Amino acid sequence: MRRTALAPTLLVLPGVAWLTAFFVLPLLTLARTSFGAPWWDGYARAVTGYGAVFARSFGFAALATLAALLLAYPLAYVLAFRAGRWRALLLGLVILPFFTTFLVRTFAWKTILNDDGLVVHLLQAVRLVPAEGRLLDTAWAVVGGLTYNFLPFMILPIYASLEKIDRRLVEAAQDLFSSPVRAFRLVVLPLSLPGVLAGSLLTFIPAAGDFVNAELLGGPNQRMIGSVIQAQFLQGRDYPLAAALSFGLMALIAVGVLAAARLLREEQLA
Protein backbone atom coordinates (compact mmCIF):
# COMPACT_ATOMS: atom_id res chain seq x y z
CA MET A 1 0.00 0.00 0.00
CA ARG A 2 2.78 2.38 0.96
CA ARG A 3 4.73 1.43 -2.16
CA THR A 4 1.69 2.27 -4.30
CA ALA A 5 1.38 5.67 -2.62
CA LEU A 6 5.03 6.46 -3.34
CA ALA A 7 4.82 5.46 -7.02
CA PRO A 8 3.57 8.85 -8.35
CA THR A 9 6.35 10.66 -6.46
CA LEU A 10 9.01 8.33 -7.81
CA LEU A 11 7.71 8.79 -11.35
CA VAL A 12 7.89 12.58 -11.02
CA LEU A 13 11.39 12.70 -9.54
CA PRO A 14 13.33 12.25 -12.85
CA GLY A 15 11.43 15.12 -14.45
CA VAL A 16 11.95 17.36 -11.41
CA ALA A 17 15.65 16.52 -11.36
CA TRP A 18 15.97 17.28 -15.08
CA LEU A 19 14.19 20.64 -14.74
CA THR A 20 16.25 21.55 -11.69
CA ALA A 21 19.56 20.74 -13.36
CA PHE A 22 18.87 22.21 -16.79
CA PHE A 23 16.35 25.00 -16.10
CA VAL A 24 16.27 26.20 -12.49
CA LEU A 25 20.03 26.16 -11.81
CA PRO A 26 20.97 27.86 -15.15
CA LEU A 27 18.24 30.44 -14.51
CA LEU A 28 19.61 31.18 -11.03
CA THR A 29 23.13 31.43 -12.47
CA LEU A 30 21.88 33.86 -15.11
CA ALA A 31 20.13 35.92 -12.41
CA ARG A 32 23.32 36.11 -10.36
CA THR A 33 25.28 37.13 -13.45
CA SER A 34 22.80 39.91 -14.25
CA PHE A 35 23.58 41.56 -10.91
CA GLY A 36 27.21 42.06 -11.81
CA ALA A 37 29.39 44.80 -10.37
CA PRO A 38 28.42 47.56 -10.06
CA TRP A 39 24.98 46.60 -8.71
CA TRP A 40 22.10 47.06 -11.20
CA ASP A 41 24.45 48.45 -13.83
CA GLY A 42 23.43 45.82 -16.39
CA TYR A 43 19.74 46.58 -15.96
CA ALA A 44 20.35 50.33 -16.13
CA ARG A 45 22.22 49.95 -19.41
CA ALA A 46 19.58 47.56 -20.76
CA VAL A 47 16.80 50.10 -20.10
CA THR A 48 18.62 53.21 -21.31
CA GLY A 49 20.47 51.77 -24.29
CA TYR A 50 18.20 49.12 -25.80
CA GLY A 51 14.62 50.33 -25.43
CA ALA A 52 14.30 50.86 -29.18
CA VAL A 53 15.59 47.34 -29.88
CA PHE A 54 13.03 45.86 -27.48
CA ALA A 55 10.27 47.84 -29.18
CA ARG A 56 11.44 46.72 -32.64
CA SER A 57 11.60 43.08 -31.53
CA PHE A 58 8.08 43.11 -30.10
CA GLY A 59 6.81 44.99 -33.15
CA PHE A 60 8.29 42.41 -35.53
CA ALA A 61 6.97 39.55 -33.37
CA ALA A 62 3.49 41.10 -33.25
CA LEU A 63 3.38 41.58 -37.03
CA ALA A 64 4.59 38.01 -37.60
CA THR A 65 1.98 36.68 -35.14
CA LEU A 66 -0.80 38.61 -36.87
CA ALA A 67 0.34 37.46 -40.31
CA ALA A 68 0.59 33.86 -39.11
CA LEU A 69 -2.90 34.06 -37.61
CA LEU A 70 -4.40 35.39 -40.85
CA LEU A 71 -2.75 32.57 -42.79
CA ALA A 72 -3.24 29.80 -40.24
CA TYR A 73 -6.90 30.18 -39.28
CA PRO A 74 -8.38 29.53 -42.76
CA LEU A 75 -6.04 26.58 -43.26
CA ALA A 76 -6.83 25.14 -39.83
CA TYR A 77 -10.55 25.61 -40.54
CA VAL A 78 -10.24 23.69 -43.81
CA LEU A 79 -8.28 20.94 -42.07
CA ALA A 80 -10.90 20.58 -39.34
CA PHE A 81 -14.12 20.94 -41.34
CA ARG A 82 -13.44 20.43 -45.04
CA ALA A 83 -10.33 18.30 -45.55
CA GLY A 84 -12.02 14.91 -45.40
CA ARG A 85 -9.75 12.10 -46.57
CA TRP A 86 -7.01 14.63 -47.39
CA ARG A 87 -6.64 15.66 -43.74
CA ALA A 88 -3.71 13.38 -42.92
CA LEU A 89 -1.81 14.49 -46.02
CA LEU A 90 -2.40 18.17 -45.32
CA LEU A 91 -1.35 17.78 -41.68
CA GLY A 92 1.80 16.05 -42.87
CA LEU A 93 2.55 19.00 -45.14
CA VAL A 94 2.06 21.38 -42.20
CA ILE A 95 4.68 19.62 -40.09
CA LEU A 96 6.99 18.83 -43.03
CA PRO A 97 9.18 21.94 -42.46
CA PHE A 98 10.20 20.51 -39.09
CA PHE A 99 12.12 17.81 -40.93
CA THR A 100 14.71 20.45 -41.83
CA THR A 101 16.57 22.64 -39.37
CA PHE A 102 15.54 26.18 -38.53
CA LEU A 103 18.78 27.54 -39.99
CA VAL A 104 18.34 25.75 -43.32
CA ARG A 105 14.77 27.03 -43.65
CA THR A 106 15.93 30.59 -43.03
CA PHE A 107 18.73 30.24 -45.60
CA ALA A 108 16.10 29.00 -48.06
CA TRP A 109 14.03 32.12 -47.37
CA LYS A 110 17.16 34.21 -47.95
CA THR A 111 17.64 32.53 -51.32
CA ILE A 112 14.02 33.18 -52.28
CA LEU A 113 14.34 36.89 -51.43
CA ASN A 114 17.73 37.29 -53.07
CA ASP A 115 18.20 40.40 -55.21
CA ASP A 116 18.52 38.23 -58.32
CA GLY A 117 15.64 35.95 -57.37
CA LEU A 118 12.31 35.48 -59.09
CA VAL A 119 10.29 37.12 -56.29
CA VAL A 120 12.17 40.41 -56.49
CA HIS A 121 11.99 40.46 -60.30
CA LEU A 122 8.21 39.83 -60.23
CA LEU A 123 7.63 42.58 -57.68
CA GLN A 124 9.78 44.95 -59.72
CA ALA A 125 7.80 44.07 -62.85
CA VAL A 126 4.52 45.07 -61.18
CA ARG A 127 6.14 48.20 -59.66
CA LEU A 128 5.72 47.05 -56.05
CA VAL A 129 9.50 47.24 -55.63
CA PRO A 130 11.61 49.98 -57.26
CA ALA A 131 13.95 49.00 -60.07
CA GLU A 132 16.96 49.13 -57.76
CA GLY A 133 15.01 48.06 -54.70
CA ARG A 134 15.49 44.90 -52.68
CA LEU A 135 13.71 42.77 -50.13
CA LEU A 136 16.67 41.56 -48.10
CA ASP A 137 17.86 43.84 -45.29
CA THR A 138 14.33 45.13 -44.78
CA ALA A 139 11.79 44.77 -42.01
CA TRP A 140 9.46 42.94 -44.42
CA ALA A 141 12.06 40.22 -44.98
CA VAL A 142 12.52 39.69 -41.24
CA VAL A 143 8.78 39.60 -40.55
CA GLY A 144 8.27 37.26 -43.52
CA GLY A 145 10.97 34.92 -42.24
CA LEU A 146 9.49 34.89 -38.74
CA THR A 147 6.02 34.21 -40.13
CA TYR A 148 7.26 31.38 -42.32
CA ASN A 149 9.33 29.69 -39.61
CA PHE A 150 6.69 29.83 -36.87
CA LEU A 151 3.53 29.34 -38.95
CA PRO A 152 3.10 25.65 -37.96
CA PHE A 153 3.04 26.69 -34.29
CA MET A 154 -0.04 28.75 -35.10
CA ILE A 155 -1.79 26.22 -37.32
CA LEU A 156 -1.66 23.19 -35.04
CA PRO A 157 -3.22 24.66 -31.85
CA ILE A 158 -6.01 26.32 -33.83
CA TYR A 159 -6.67 23.07 -35.68
CA ALA A 160 -6.79 21.19 -32.36
CA SER A 161 -9.41 23.62 -31.00
CA LEU A 162 -11.50 23.55 -34.16
CA GLU A 163 -11.36 19.79 -34.44
CA LYS A 164 -12.81 19.38 -30.93
CA ILE A 165 -15.89 21.51 -31.67
CA ASP A 166 -19.10 19.47 -31.69
CA ARG A 167 -20.50 19.78 -35.22
CA ARG A 168 -24.01 19.56 -33.80
CA LEU A 169 -23.57 23.03 -32.31
CA VAL A 170 -23.02 24.47 -35.77
CA GLU A 171 -25.97 22.51 -37.13
CA ALA A 172 -28.14 23.77 -34.28
CA ALA A 173 -27.20 27.37 -35.05
CA GLN A 174 -28.10 26.85 -38.69
CA ASP A 175 -31.39 25.19 -37.72
CA LEU A 176 -32.18 28.38 -35.80
CA PHE A 177 -31.82 30.29 -39.08
CA SER A 178 -28.30 31.57 -38.51
CA SER A 179 -26.36 32.23 -41.67
CA PRO A 180 -23.02 30.41 -42.05
CA VAL A 181 -21.18 33.65 -41.23
CA ARG A 182 -23.28 34.25 -38.11
CA ALA A 183 -22.89 30.62 -36.99
CA PHE A 184 -19.14 30.95 -37.41
CA ARG A 185 -19.04 34.23 -35.46
CA LEU A 186 -21.23 33.04 -32.58
CA VAL A 187 -20.24 29.38 -32.31
CA VAL A 188 -17.00 28.42 -34.05
CA LEU A 189 -14.89 31.51 -33.37
CA PRO A 190 -15.52 31.72 -29.59
CA LEU A 191 -14.87 28.00 -29.14
CA SER A 192 -11.60 28.26 -31.08
CA LEU A 193 -10.21 31.18 -29.03
CA PRO A 194 -8.13 28.91 -26.73
CA GLY A 195 -6.33 27.59 -29.82
CA VAL A 196 -5.88 31.12 -31.14
CA LEU A 197 -4.34 32.23 -27.85
CA ALA A 198 -2.09 29.17 -27.63
CA GLY A 199 -0.94 29.59 -31.23
CA SER A 200 -0.35 33.31 -30.73
CA LEU A 201 1.81 32.66 -27.67
CA LEU A 202 3.72 29.84 -29.37
CA THR A 203 4.43 32.20 -32.27
CA PHE A 204 5.02 35.49 -30.46
CA ILE A 205 7.32 34.23 -27.69
CA PRO A 206 10.01 32.58 -29.87
CA ALA A 207 9.66 35.29 -32.53
CA ALA A 208 10.37 38.05 -29.99
CA GLY A 209 13.61 36.38 -28.90
CA ASP A 210 14.72 35.15 -32.32
CA PHE A 211 18.02 36.33 -33.78
CA VAL A 212 18.54 34.05 -36.79
CA ASN A 213 16.01 35.76 -39.06
CA ALA A 214 17.24 39.24 -38.14
CA GLU A 215 20.87 38.25 -38.77
CA LEU A 216 20.30 36.49 -42.10
CA LEU A 217 17.41 38.46 -43.59
CA GLY A 218 17.84 41.90 -42.02
CA GLY A 219 20.49 44.55 -41.72
CA PRO A 220 21.80 46.75 -38.91
CA ASN A 221 18.50 48.65 -38.79
CA GLN A 222 16.56 45.40 -38.24
CA ARG A 223 18.53 44.06 -35.27
CA MET A 224 16.36 42.36 -32.68
CA ILE A 225 16.99 41.90 -29.00
CA GLY A 226 18.00 38.27 -29.54
CA SER A 227 20.80 39.46 -31.82
CA VAL A 228 22.02 41.88 -29.15
CA ILE A 229 21.96 39.21 -26.42
CA GLN A 230 23.83 36.76 -28.65
CA ALA A 231 26.44 39.38 -29.54
CA GLN A 232 26.96 40.45 -25.92
CA PHE A 233 27.38 36.86 -24.75
CA LEU A 234 29.63 35.57 -27.54
CA GLN A 235 31.42 38.65 -28.89
CA GLY A 236 31.29 41.52 -26.42
CA ARG A 237 31.63 39.18 -23.41
CA ASP A 238 29.53 41.63 -21.41
CA TYR A 239 27.79 38.94 -19.39
CA PRO A 240 25.97 41.20 -16.86
CA LEU A 241 24.39 43.23 -19.70
CA ALA A 242 23.49 40.11 -21.70
CA ALA A 243 21.95 38.47 -18.63
CA ALA A 244 20.02 41.63 -17.77
CA LEU A 245 18.69 41.86 -21.33
CA SER A 246 17.64 38.20 -21.14
CA PHE A 247 15.77 38.73 -17.88
CA GLY A 248 14.18 41.88 -19.22
CA LEU A 249 12.93 39.97 -22.25
CA MET A 250 11.58 37.14 -20.10
CA ALA A 251 9.85 39.59 -17.74
CA LEU A 252 8.14 41.52 -20.53
CA ILE A 253 6.98 38.30 -22.23
CA ALA A 254 5.71 36.91 -18.92
CA VAL A 255 3.64 40.06 -18.34
CA GLY A 256 2.19 39.75 -21.85
CA VAL A 257 1.35 36.08 -21.35
CA LEU A 258 -0.42 36.74 -18.05
CA ALA A 259 -2.37 39.62 -19.58
CA ALA A 260 -3.43 37.47 -22.55
CA ALA A 261 -4.47 34.60 -20.26
CA ARG A 262 -6.56 36.96 -18.12
CA LEU A 263 -8.17 38.46 -21.20
CA LEU A 264 -9.12 35.01 -22.49
CA ARG A 265 -10.52 33.99 -19.11
CA GLU A 266 -12.68 37.12 -18.97
CA GLU A 267 -13.85 36.48 -22.53
CA GLN A 268 -14.85 32.93 -21.66
CA LEU A 269 -16.73 34.09 -18.57
CA ALA A 270 -18.56 36.70 -20.63
Side-chain angles (χ1 to χ4, degrees):
M1 188 77 176
R2 187 175 179 182
R3 184 180 302 174
T4 304
L6 288 176
T9 303
L10 295 175
L11 290 174
V12 169
L13 282 178
V16 172
W18 178 274
L19 287 175
T20 301
F22 297 104
F23 179 74
V24 177
L25 292 180
L27 198 64
L28 293 176
T29 302
L30 191 66
R32 185 182 64 180
T33 303
S34 69
F35 294 106
W39 191 258
W40 288 101
D41 177 67
Y43 288 96
R45 287 186 292 153
V47 172
T48 58
Y50 296 97
V53 183
F54 272 109
R56 183 187 305 127
S57 300
F58 289 128
F60 285 173
L63 287 174
T65 301
L66 179 59
L69 176 59
L70 294 176
L71 293 171
Y73 201 102
L75 178 56
Y77 184 88
V78 170
L79 284 171
F81 290 98
R82 298 285 186 266
R85 61 191 180 93
W86 299 101
R87 180 178 300 172
L89 175 61
L90 293 176
L91 282 173
L93 293 177
V94 168
I95 65 174
L96 186 63
F98 290 128
F99 287 86
T100 58
T101 65
F102 188 89
L103 190 61
V104 170
R105 298 200 305 270
T106 308
F107 267 115
W109 193 252
K110 184 174 183 178
T111 302
I112 292 171
L113 301 181
N114 191 280
D115 294 343
D116 296 325
L118 179 62
V119 174
V120 173
H121 288 319
L122 288 175
L123 293 177
Q124 288 174 345
V126 296
R127 305 299 177 88
L128 292 178
V129 173
E132 301 299 326
R134 59 199 315 254
L135 290 178
L136 289 178
D137 297 341
T138 65
W140 296 112
V142 177
V143 172
L146 292 171
T147 303
Y148 163 72
N149 278 303
F150 297 116
L151 182 60
F153 295 109
M154 182 69 79
I155 295 173
L156 294 175
I158 296 176
Y159 164 74
S161 287
L162 291 171
E163 203 272 334
K164 290 189 297 184
I165 295 176
D166 191 340
R167 305 301 190 270
R168 291 174 296 181
L169 296 175
V170 181
E171 294 173 358
Q174 293 174 347
D175 290 341
L176 294 173
F177 305 104
S178 288
S179 66
V181 174
R182 183 177 174 83
F184 171 81
R185 182 171 61 86
L186 296 179
V187 178
V188 177
L189 183 59
L191 293 176
S192 66
L193 285 181
V196 171
L197 176 61
S200 298
L201 293 179
L202 289 173
T203 303
F204 181 85
I205 292 173
D210 181 72
F211 68 92
V212 174
N213 286 277
E215 290 292 319
L216 295 181
L217 304 177
N221 294 330
Q222 288 79 43
R223 292 191 77 194
M224 297 176 65
I225 195 63
S227 304
V228 176
I229 294 172
Q230 186 255 5
Q232 294 297 336
F233 266 123
L234 301 181
Q235 300 170 15
R237 307 282 177 166
D238 193 342
Y239 298 129
L241 175 60
L245 289 170
S246 300
F247 264 93
L249 179 63
M250 284 189 289
L252 291 172
I253 289 177
V255 170
V257 169
L258 293 175
R262 181 174 181 179
L263 180 64
L264 179 63
R265 185 165 59 250
E266 292 177 354
E267 179 71 20
Q268 288 177 333
L269 290 175

